[in-house]
Amino acid sequence: MTSTALAASPNKADRSRLELRTPLVQVPDLEHFSALLNRQLGLCRRGGSRLAVLMIAIDLPEEQRPAVRQIAQEAAGARLANRVRSTDVVCRVGALRFGVVLMGAGRKEAEVVRTRLSKVIAGRYCVDSTSTELTLQIGLAVYRESGETGSELAQAALIDIGRPHLQMAALP
């Protein structure tokens, strides 16, 4: 598990740690994420490449102050965006979900990414003097195998969130 210490009002040094290599796109809901995914699928079809989708559900304790929850969610999003390739697309879907479009990835590559992300994003986040534990579940869908449209892939990844995954079960 990793621990991330953040200040409620990050100074210049703290802000530089949160700068994103891959832009984090904000979409209000799954419908808008599906539309974005359809655009990425168009690129995939034209180029004859593969594509995989990860849906990440973030869970934070309800008893945490809203400000602590917000900062921890932003830090998790920044960590996520910094742990994928610049060719991938990372979206914050609503309040507690993220979607990742892995361009040129099939099931095998996406499973590796899922395992790696679960290790580096989940964990303890410290905001000022308050500590909170962030847990997550990651669902996976692969173009053609799980669906042909953005909506089908997003739904398949959401359904996969609830399934047990051997790679994630081995985490401490």
Side-chain angles (χ1 to χ4, degrees), residues 74-155:
E74 289 173 8
R79 187 179 283 179
L80 171 62
N82 284 324
R83 296 302 195 280
V84 297
R85 302 168 301 184
S86 61
T87 57
D88 298 330
V89 179
V90 180
C91 297
R92 184 166 180 177
V93 183
L96 293 176
R97 235 183 298 183
F98 292 92
V100 181
V101 182
L102 302 170
M103 299 299 290
R107 178 162 298 278
K108 184 177 178 183
E109 296 88 353
E111 289 283 359
V112 169
V113 172
R114 172 169 44 191
T115 301
R116 183 172 43 94
L117 290 177
S118 67
K119 289 178 183 176
V120 298
I121 297 171
R124 185 162 305 284
Y125 287 74
C126 300
V127 180
D128 291 334
S129 62
T130 305
S131 177
T132 188
E133 190 72 27
L134 184 143
T135 58
L136 54 93
Q137 294 180 319
I138 304 177
L140 167 65
V142 179
Y143 173 56
R144 292 197 178 99
E145 179 183 317
S146 305
E148 297 278 330
T149 68
S151 181
E152 290 172 350
L153 289 171
Q155 287 297 327

Side-chain angles (χ1 to χ4, degrees), residues 25-79:
V25 178
Q26 178 76 39
V27 293
D29 53 31
L30 197 59
E31 183 179 333
H32 287 84
F33 178 69
S34 296
L36 181 141
L37 190 48
N38 278 328
R39 288 191 296 276
Q40 296 303 116
L41 281 168
L43 295 172
C44 178
R45 288 181 190 113
R46 284 190 292 279
S49 64
R50 302 175 303 163
L51 180 143
V53 177
L54 299 176
M55 289 299 296
I56 302 170
I58 300 288
D59 185 36
L60 288 162
E62 285 295 324
E63 64 274 5
Q64 289 295 347
R65 294 187 333 254
V68 171
R69 291 173 60 83
Q70 178 67 28
I71 293 169
Q73 291 165 6
E74 289 173 8
R79 187 179 283 179

